[in-house]
Amino acid sequence: MTFPANKPSRGVGDRNSIPHSAASRAFPSSEVAQSSAKGTGPAHTQGQVLPAWSVALPLWASDHWLWLVPGSSGSVRYRSGAITKILAAKQAPTLDQIPSTISYSLIVLDCRATRKLPDELWSRLAEMLAPGGLLLVCCLRDKRLPGRMRASTCGLSPSTWHVIEPGQEGNWHLRPASSSMRRLTLELNPPYTTRVWLARILYRWLPQRRTINCLPVWRSRVLG
């Protein structure tokens, strides 16, 4: 299976890689490269960097997780891990060539650089996902995507759209993409500096460029 060629992906190893404080909470081991103190970018540890917003996802609660980043040439970079450790960091020519000796309780598909996702993708991901497992599709928001998943009859049950967004001091969080949940999130995290207060006023009128759309999808049944 290949993906349409598009602009280069900025998923794994981008300039928003996990800073030291966040990485120490989500990944106590040294597998994740650390950003510099000034936030200029991650240390160049090839194959071991996850983006900063990964701390908002429940990797720490997953016995076996898989992080997928489709490339512009159809290849797929992937990271696999167990709870707090990255066990493998490799690249496969296609999604079908990623080893699937185990089922994953969590799969993150970071396809923000892919404009159109092939319909046959969902059946392949359903095979890799454990029954009751969670698939997080991080991509450009498409209202038709949940319906396409349901039509694929591969046992995937999409939820409503969520967003991953940064909070104060770079603390990322995942929440439903609704105005009521946005207000609740702001109320639970009141601004404690003038800079944060001004940024929130600006955010009220301008879109947040660093917000990531995310569609949670469950594998609801065992494939026959």
Side-chain angles (χ1 to χ4, degrees):
M1 179 185 303
T2 60
F3 293 83
N6 289 292
K7 62 181 181 179
S9 171
R10 294 180 55 197
V12 176
D14 63 18
R15 63 185 179 89
N16 289 326
S17 297
I18 299 178
H20 175 68
S21 59
S24 62
R25 293 194 298 270
F27 294 92
S29 57
S30 61
E31 275 78 2
V32 178
Q34 299 174 358
S35 296
S36 66
K38 294 182 180 181
T40 56
H44 294 286
T45 306
Q46 181 65 28
Q48 294 295 333
V49 181
L50 291 177
W53 48 271
S54 64
V55 299
L57 307 181
L59 303 181
W60 55 269
S62 305
D63 291 336
H64 300 286
W65 54 264
L66 181 66
W67 192 291
L68 302 171
V69 183
S72 57
S73 62
S75 61
V76 181
R77 288 180 291 165
Y78 67 94
R79 310 289 182 265
S80 60
I83 308 179
T84 60
K85 294 183 178 180
I86 298 177
L87 302 178
K90 299 180 181 181
Q91 180 167 319
T94 65
L95 181 63
D96 295 326
Q97 298 187 42
I98 295 178
S100 55
T101 55
I102 61 173
S103 296
Y104 297 95
S105 56
L106 173 66
I107 297 178
V108 180
L109 178 64
D110 181 8
C111 50
R112 291 171 292 157
T114 303
R115 296 181 181 178
K116 184 178 180 180
L117 300 173
D119 290 333
E120 61 269 22
L121 169 68
W122 311 120
S123 58
R124 174 59 178 144
L125 290 175
E127 294 173 356
M128 303 172 71
L129 195 62
L134 174 63
L135 167 66
L136 296 173
V137 182
C138 303
C139 63
L140 298 176
R141 187 165 179 173
D142 183 355
K143 295 181 179 179
R144 300 170 296 177
L145 183 57
R148 289 170 53 196
M149 287 186 182
R150 296 187 185 98
S152 66
T153 65
C154 58
L156 294 179
S157 300
S159 179
T160 58
W161 282 97
H162 284 52
V163 294
I164 305 170
E165 60 186 5
Q168 300 186 57
E169 295 185 343
N171 294 317
W172 293 77
H173 55 262
L174 172 69
R175 65 166 177 83
S178 64
S179 57
S180 59
M181 285 304 301
R182 179 177 177 275
R183 288 194 300 269
L184 178 60
T185 301
L186 294 177
E187 292 174 0
L188 293 175
N189 297 274
Y192 53 82
T193 65
T194 303
R195 180 179 179 181
V196 173
W197 179 75
L198 292 174
R200 288 194 176 180
I201 293 178
L202 186 63
Y203 174 41
R204 183 174 299 179
W205 303 106
L206 297 177
Q208 173 60 265
R209 291 185 299 173
R210 299 175 68 191
T211 295
I212 298 166
N213 295 306
C214 179
L215 182 65
V217 183
W218 302 93
R219 179 177 165 186
S220 57
R221 62 180 174 86
V222 178
L223 300 179

